Amino acid sequence: MGSFRNDGLKASDVLPILKEKVAFVSGGRDKRGGPILTFPARSNHDRIRQEDLRKLVTYLASVPSEDVCKRGFTVIIDMRGSKWDLIKPLLKTLQEAFPAEIHVALIIKPDNFWQKQKTNFGSSKFIFETSMVSVEGLTKLVDPSQLTEEFDGSLDYNHEEWIELRLSLEEFFNSAVHLLSRLEDLQEMLARKEFPVDVEGSRRLIDEHTQLKKKVLKAPVEELDREGQRLLQCIRCSDGFSGRNCIPGSADFQSLVPKITSLLDKLHSTRQHLHQMWHVRKLKLDQCFQLRLFEQDAEKNAYVNINRIMSVASRLSEAGHYASQQIKQISTQLDQEWKSFAAALDERSTILAMSAVFHQKAEQVKPRELLWWLLVRRVGVHTLSV
């Protein structure tokens, strides 16, 4: 998600040292368009654990967008009020732990610098350029509109509000991406082509499908949309809006606007598509249930069910059932089998009737007349089977 590409560290992971304002990225840019990382003046740099500092600078390097980071950071280190011998360990930490390219490190000279011994950076062999500057000299290298007020700049930056917005954005992106993944999993479930092979299986799958709709309806898309719109309002600060919930002038936040809107659009469109897929699948499952009932009744092959089965087959086919061809084949086969069965029954009934007549005649006529009658009847009936 752009500047949220660092999956390893979040603002919440470095919150204690982040709140101390040991370092920050204000959204300012140098004249090349590179991001600015600032270490403000403080007297206790030596009290900061190196591991905490490494995690902090690693996290801050992930805040600007990748395109901006590729231009290289300008690092401003304000040594006013600090012990001068702490500059080397800080620069060394940046060289070893900072994951992005550093274009230049601009070091604000400490108080009474000219009365102190100059530090020789030559033997340190830093891979980035270092330059000693005054506050006045800094404004010549970086436009004042891109500097915060401690460097006589005009860039509006509030560290507490920055942290609050950053935490909210990271939570929003994490929740939205997680929900989108869940919705996409549901899409895969609804895209299944297989159908149950019996009536009970059809009933069970219809029940599961009904439960699936509840999951779709419970998806907190509206809740995330409200949070996304609130964050967009904080970032855009349009139409003269200002106040505690507004973070003006931060290019790092502004670059997230299209990502937020795109993610919200994706959530809405995915859920809408899910609704459509659910209804299509529901229709197919209902038709499958009807088909399995039809097959079950057809297998019974009882006379009392024939007319009803044929009527159901006709109705399903006319309704555009997805298996209409299969239904027609079953009903045709059933019709043929029933006609054959009915014909056999008729033939058997005829034979039984003839047998009854024979026995009646046998009781009424003499043996010679009975034999003659049998010969006459045999001309019309080739096989006599009771």
Side-chain angles (χ1 to χ4, degrees), residues 4 29 50 66 178 191 199 202 261 280 290 299 319 341 347 358 384:
F4 286 84
R29 303 287 186 257
Q50 286 300 305
E66 291 186 41
H178 177 67
V199 173
S202 296
T261 55
V280 170
Q290 295 167 349
E299 288 173 0
F341 178 68
E347 183 178 355
F358 167 74
L384 182 60

PDB file of all heavy atoms in Angstrom, residues 4 29 50 66 178 191 199 202 261 280 290 299 319 341 347 358 384:
ATOM      1  N   PHE A   4       2.905   2.270   3.131  1.00  0.00           N
ATOM      2  CA  PHE A   4       2.649   1.285   4.159  1.00  0.00           C
ATOM      3  C   PHE A   4       3.242  -0.062   3.750  1.00  0.00           C
ATOM      4  O   PHE A   4       2.734  -1.114   4.078  1.00  0.00           O
ATOM      5  CB  PHE A   4       1.138   1.157   4.402  1.00  0.00           C
ATOM      6  CG  PHE A   4       0.583   2.330   5.154  1.00  0.00           C
ATOM      7  CD1 PHE A   4       0.215   3.492   4.494  1.00  0.00           C
ATOM      8  CD2 PHE A   4       0.469   2.298   6.524  1.00  0.00           C
ATOM      9  CE1 PHE A   4      -0.278   4.573   5.186  1.00  0.00           C
ATOM     10  CE2 PHE A   4      -0.030   3.369   7.233  1.00  0.00           C
ATOM     11  CZ  PHE A   4      -0.402   4.526   6.556  1.00  0.00           C
ATOM     12  N   ARG A  29      10.262  18.507   1.657  1.00  0.00           N
ATOM     13  CA  ARG A  29      11.096  17.995   0.572  1.00  0.00           C
ATOM     14  C   ARG A  29      12.272  18.949   0.333  1.00  0.00           C
ATOM     15  O   ARG A  29      12.146  20.174   0.456  1.00  0.00           O
ATOM     16  CB  ARG A  29      10.284  17.879  -0.729  1.00  0.00           C
ATOM     17  CG  ARG A  29       9.041  16.990  -0.621  1.00  0.00           C
ATOM     18  CD  ARG A  29       9.449  15.525  -0.553  1.00  0.00           C
ATOM     19  NE  ARG A  29       8.281  14.653  -0.580  1.00  0.00           N
ATOM     20  CZ  ARG A  29       7.769  14.045   0.489  1.00  0.00           C
ATOM     21  NH1 ARG A  29       8.337  14.225   1.694  1.00  0.00           N
ATOM     22  NH2 ARG A  29       6.720  13.266   0.389  1.00  0.00           N
ATOM     23  N   GLN A  50      20.478   2.228  21.373  1.00  0.00           N
ATOM     24  CA  GLN A  50      20.781   2.104  19.942  1.00  0.00           C
ATOM     25  C   GLN A  50      19.754   1.243  19.213  1.00  0.00           C
ATOM     26  O   GLN A  50      19.380   1.524  18.082  1.00  0.00           O
ATOM     27  CB  GLN A  50      22.187   1.520  19.761  1.00  0.00           C
ATOM     28  CG  GLN A  50      23.302   2.505  20.065  1.00  0.00           C
ATOM     29  CD  GLN A  50      23.211   3.734  19.155  1.00  0.00           C
ATOM     30  OE1 GLN A  50      23.187   3.627  17.932  1.00  0.00           O
ATOM     31  NE2 GLN A  50      23.161   4.908  19.778  1.00  0.00           N
ATOM     32  N   GLU A  66       7.583   5.228  -2.140  1.00  0.00           N
ATOM     33  CA  GLU A  66       8.797   4.634  -2.709  1.00  0.00           C
ATOM     34  C   GLU A  66       9.450   5.551  -3.739  1.00  0.00           C
ATOM     35  O   GLU A  66      10.680   5.655  -3.791  1.00  0.00           O
ATOM     36  CB  GLU A  66       8.453   3.286  -3.350  1.00  0.00           C
ATOM     37  CG  GLU A  66       8.072   2.210  -2.362  1.00  0.00           C
ATOM     38  CD  GLU A  66       7.877   0.870  -3.028  1.00  0.00           C
ATOM     39  OE1 GLU A  66       8.680   0.531  -3.916  1.00  0.00           O
ATOM     40  OE2 GLU A  66       6.920   0.160  -2.680  1.00  0.00           O
ATOM     41  N   HIS A 178      -7.450  -6.637   5.401  1.00  0.00           N
ATOM     42  CA  HIS A 178      -7.886  -7.914   5.971  1.00  0.00           C
ATOM     43  C   HIS A 178      -9.315  -8.236   5.543  1.00  0.00           C
ATOM     44  O   HIS A 178      -9.626  -9.380   5.157  1.00  0.00           O
ATOM     45  CB  HIS A 178      -7.800  -7.855   7.494  1.00  0.00           C
ATOM     46  CG  HIS A 178      -8.290  -9.098   8.181  1.00  0.00           C
ATOM     47  ND1 HIS A 178      -7.648 -10.313   8.092  1.00  0.00           N
ATOM     48  CD2 HIS A 178      -9.397  -9.329   8.950  1.00  0.00           C
ATOM     49  CE1 HIS A 178      -8.308 -11.223   8.776  1.00  0.00           C
ATOM     50  NE2 HIS A 178      -9.382 -10.656   9.299  1.00  0.00           N
ATOM     51  N   ALA A 191     -17.811 -19.106  -6.200  1.00  0.00           N
ATOM     52  CA  ALA A 191     -17.491 -19.425  -7.596  1.00  0.00           C
ATOM     53  C   ALA A 191     -17.407 -20.932  -7.841  1.00  0.00           C
ATOM     54  O   ALA A 191     -17.173 -21.361  -8.966  1.00  0.00           O
ATOM     55  CB  ALA A 191     -16.177 -18.757  -8.000  1.00  0.00           C
ATOM     56  N   VAL A 199     -30.593 -35.383  -2.510  1.00  0.00           N
ATOM     57  CA  VAL A 199     -31.512 -34.402  -1.921  1.00  0.00           C
ATOM     58  C   VAL A 199     -30.978 -33.860  -0.604  1.00  0.00           C
ATOM     59  O   VAL A 199     -30.999 -32.646  -0.359  1.00  0.00           O
ATOM     60  CB  VAL A 199     -32.904 -35.034  -1.724  1.00  0.00           C
ATOM     61  CG1 VAL A 199     -33.818 -34.080  -0.950  1.00  0.00           C
ATOM     62  CG2 VAL A 199     -33.522 -35.387  -3.071  1.00  0.00           C
ATOM     63  N   SER A 202     -28.222 -31.442  -1.057  1.00  0.00           N
ATOM     64  CA  SER A 202     -28.739 -30.168  -1.565  1.00  0.00           C
ATOM     65  C   SER A 202     -29.300 -29.328  -0.434  1.00  0.00           C
ATOM     66  O   SER A 202     -29.056 -28.116  -0.360  1.00  0.00           O
ATOM     67  CB  SER A 202     -29.823 -30.423  -2.617  1.00  0.00           C
ATOM     68  OG  SER A 202     -29.293 -31.089  -3.743  1.00  0.00           O
ATOM     69  N   THR A 261      -9.005   5.997  -1.308  1.00  0.00           N
ATOM     70  CA  THR A 261     -10.214   5.980  -2.129  1.00  0.00           C
ATOM     71  C   THR A 261     -10.293   4.710  -2.969  1.00  0.00           C
ATOM     72  O   THR A 261     -11.366   4.134  -3.139  1.00  0.00           O
ATOM     73  CB  THR A 261     -10.268   7.214  -3.041  1.00  0.00           C
ATOM     74  OG1 THR A 261      -9.059   7.286  -3.828  1.00  0.00           O
ATOM     75  CG2 THR A 261     -10.375   8.489  -2.226  1.00  0.00           C
ATOM     76  N   VAL A 280     -26.940 -15.632  -7.668  1.00  0.00           N
ATOM     77  CA  VAL A 280     -26.779 -16.572  -8.786  1.00  0.00           C
ATOM     78  C   VAL A 280     -26.579 -17.988  -8.256  1.00  0.00           C
ATOM     79  O   VAL A 280     -27.200 -18.949  -8.728  1.00  0.00           O
ATOM     80  CB  VAL A 280     -25.596 -16.154  -9.681  1.00  0.00           C
ATOM     81  CG1 VAL A 280     -25.270 -17.247 -10.697  1.00  0.00           C
ATOM     82  CG2 VAL A 280     -25.904 -14.847 -10.407  1.00  0.00           C
ATOM     83  N   GLN A 290     -34.279 -28.995  -6.762  1.00  0.00           N
ATOM     84  CA  GLN A 290     -35.428 -29.437  -7.556  1.00  0.00           C
ATOM     85  C   GLN A 290     -35.044 -30.619  -8.449  1.00  0.00           C
ATOM     86  O   GLN A 290     -35.814 -31.573  -8.607  1.00  0.00           O
ATOM     87  CB  GLN A 290     -35.940 -28.280  -8.414  1.00  0.00           C
ATOM     88  CG  GLN A 290     -36.508 -27.128  -7.601  1.00  0.00           C
ATOM     89  CD  GLN A 290     -36.713 -25.880  -8.433  1.00  0.00           C
ATOM     90  OE1 GLN A 290     -36.244 -25.809  -9.569  1.00  0.00           O
ATOM     91  NE2 GLN A 290     -37.395 -24.896  -7.880  1.00  0.00           N
ATOM     92  N   GLU A 299     -36.730 -42.161  -9.997  1.00  0.00           N
ATOM     93  CA  GLU A 299     -36.176 -43.474  -9.687  1.00  0.00           C
ATOM     94  C   GLU A 299     -37.219 -44.398  -9.056  1.00  0.00           C
ATOM     95  O   GLU A 299     -37.144 -45.621  -9.179  1.00  0.00           O
ATOM     96  CB  GLU A 299     -34.967 -43.324  -8.764  1.00  0.00           C
ATOM     97  CG  GLU A 299     -33.740 -42.745  -9.464  1.00  0.00           C
ATOM     98  CD  GLU A 299     -32.614 -42.440  -8.483  1.00  0.00           C
ATOM     99  OE1 GLU A 299     -32.814 -42.687  -7.275  1.00  0.00           O
ATOM    100  OE2 GLU A 299     -31.563 -41.958  -8.939  1.00  0.00           O
ATOM    101  N   ALA A 319     -38.783 -23.138 -17.259  1.00  0.00           N
ATOM    102  CA  ALA A 319     -38.285 -22.059 -16.397  1.00  0.00           C
ATOM    103  C   ALA A 319     -36.826 -21.735 -16.647  1.00  0.00           C
ATOM    104  O   ALA A 319     -36.239 -20.878 -15.984  1.00  0.00           O
ATOM    105  CB  ALA A 319     -38.484 -22.429 -14.923  1.00  0.00           C
ATOM    106  N   PHE A 341     -43.478 -50.357 -19.653  1.00  0.00           N
ATOM    107  CA  PHE A 341     -43.999 -51.030 -18.466  1.00  0.00           C
ATOM    108  C   PHE A 341     -45.526 -51.152 -18.526  1.00  0.00           C
ATOM    109  O   PHE A 341     -46.110 -52.195 -18.217  1.00  0.00           O
ATOM    110  CB  PHE A 341     -43.567 -50.266 -17.217  1.00  0.00           C
ATOM    111  CG  PHE A 341     -44.080 -50.839 -15.936  1.00  0.00           C
ATOM    112  CD1 PHE A 341     -43.638 -52.074 -15.477  1.00  0.00           C
ATOM    113  CD2 PHE A 341     -45.006 -50.138 -15.165  1.00  0.00           C
ATOM    114  CE1 PHE A 341     -44.106 -52.596 -14.288  1.00  0.00           C
ATOM    115  CE2 PHE A 341     -45.475 -50.659 -13.985  1.00  0.00           C
ATOM    116  CZ  PHE A 341     -45.020 -51.888 -13.534  1.00  0.00           C
ATOM    117  N   GLU A 347     -50.577 -56.225 -21.496  1.00  0.00           N
ATOM    118  CA  GLU A 347     -50.485 -57.570 -22.071  1.00  0.00           C
ATOM    119  C   GLU A 347     -50.751 -58.631 -21.009  1.00  0.00           C
ATOM    120  O   GLU A 347     -51.470 -59.623 -21.244  1.00  0.00           O
ATOM    121  CB  GLU A 347     -49.110 -57.781 -22.696  1.00  0.00           C
ATOM    122  CG  GLU A 347     -48.965 -59.144 -23.372  1.00  0.00           C
ATOM    123  CD  GLU A 347     -47.606 -59.317 -24.029  1.00  0.00           C
ATOM    124  OE1 GLU A 347     -46.812 -58.342 -24.030  1.00  0.00           O
ATOM    125  OE2 GLU A 347     -47.325 -60.412 -24.532  1.00  0.00           O
ATOM    126  N   PHE A 358     -60.945 -68.888 -20.038  1.00  0.00           N
ATOM    127  CA  PHE A 358     -60.669 -70.306 -20.323  1.00  0.00           C
ATOM    128  C   PHE A 358     -61.185 -71.209 -19.209  1.00  0.00           C
ATOM    129  O   PHE A 358     -61.843 -72.220 -19.458  1.00  0.00           O
ATOM    130  CB  PHE A 358     -59.163 -70.498 -20.524  1.00  0.00           C
ATOM    131  CG  PHE A 358     -58.760 -71.941 -20.500  1.00  0.00           C
ATOM    132  CD1 PHE A 358     -59.031 -72.779 -21.579  1.00  0.00           C
ATOM    133  CD2 PHE A 358     -58.125 -72.480 -19.386  1.00  0.00           C
ATOM    134  CE1 PHE A 358     -58.675 -74.121 -21.544  1.00  0.00           C
ATOM    135  CE2 PHE A 358     -57.761 -73.811 -19.369  1.00  0.00           C
ATOM    136  CZ  PHE A 358     -58.026 -74.629 -20.437  1.00  0.00           C
ATOM    137  N   LEU A 384     -49.292 -68.336 -24.371  1.00  0.00           N
ATOM    138  CA  LEU A 384     -50.184 -68.191 -23.230  1.00  0.00           C
ATOM    139  C   LEU A 384     -49.348 -68.322 -21.960  1.00  0.00           C
ATOM    140  O   LEU A 384     -48.696 -69.333 -21.737  1.00  0.00           O
ATOM    141  CB  LEU A 384     -51.267 -69.296 -23.261  1.00  0.00           C
ATOM    142  CG  LEU A 384     -52.328 -69.239 -22.128  1.00  0.00           C
ATOM    143  CD1 LEU A 384     -53.069 -67.922 -22.203  1.00  0.00           C
ATOM    144  CD2 LEU A 384     -53.287 -70.413 -22.231  1.00  0.00           C
TER     145      LEU A 384
END
